[in-house]
Amino acid sequence: MTLSSTAAVRTRTIAPFRSRSVPELNALRDRLTAWLAPLRSTAEGLVPQMPVEDRAADTWDPLEIVADLAGGHWPSRSRAACLAMTRNEVVQDEQTRLKRQPTAARRPPRVRAGGPQGGSAQPGPARPLLQDAEAPWSEYGTKGLNAYHLANSWRA
């Protein structure tokens, strides 16, 4: 099959999926499999106490079961890691969501000091957003949303 000239110009070659065979990880996988094989029936019946819910719990559930089977300090360390990584992911998701909100929601109307007929633009275009108690803008970045960050979000 031959591509048309238009399709050929717009077509990119995608590199094949790279192999992820890492001998050290394969050895670790094999050791873990050998250790868990006799514990399989016990593991199938375990329902670990999860520090998170929903999708995060689904992701961490097998790891928490392995930690519970290992005993000692592993259950507490595993749950601490689960909480830390899940919280970090929530923060990243929130920051990404804020960056992707529709421009209309981020762009406040320009209010003229003298009313609709004239006057200069209100200083601090981020001020109306910061005054909305239910909006997350006061927590945006390290010091809340400011004119610089607002302008950068409009460029995106």
Side-chain angles (χ1 to χ4, degrees):
M1 181 173 135
T2 307
L3 294 175
S4 68
S5 60
T6 303
V9 169
R10 295 180 182 168
T11 303
R12 289 189 292 175
T13 303
I14 298 174
F17 189 73
R18 64 185 168 106
S19 173
R20 298 195 189 270
S21 180
V22 179
E24 295 84 8
L25 292 178
N26 292 341
L28 179 61
R29 179 201 58 212
D30 295 342
R31 285 179 48 208
L32 188 58
T33 301
W35 174 70
L36 284 171
L39 300 171
R40 184 176 181 151
S41 61
T42 305
E44 287 174 348
L46 287 179
V47 180
Q49 290 291 101
M50 297 299 294
V52 293
E53 297 176 347
D54 300 327
R55 191 172 290 171
D58 293 342
T59 301
W60 283 87
D61 191 55
L63 299 170
E64 298 300 340
I65 289 172
V66 170
D68 287 347
L69 290 171
H73 66 278
W74 291 110
S76 62
R77 288 184 74 174
S78 176
R79 283 164 178 79
C82 172
L83 281 173
M85 293 179 78
T86 303
R87 285 183 185 142
N88 184 48
E89 187 174 322
V90 167
V91 168
Q92 288 177 344
D93 287 349
E94 181 66 16
Q95 289 174 346
T96 300
R97 185 185 66 79
L98 290 175
K99 289 177 184 174
R100 292 185 179 167
Q101 276 187 335
T103 303
R106 294 189 308 226
R107 204 177 286 233
R110 300 293 293 202
V111 178
R112 300 280 176 184
Q117 276 69 31
S120 61
Q122 177 183 8
R127 188 175 300 149
L129 294 174
L130 293 171
Q131 291 171 345
D132 183 355
E134 295 188 19
W137 304 113
S138 62
E139 299 166 5
Y140 185 85
T142 56
K143 296 182 181 177
L145 183 68
N146 59 30
Y148 175 79
H149 291 110
L150 184 61
N152 279 339
S153 74
W154 290 345
R155 288 187 195 113

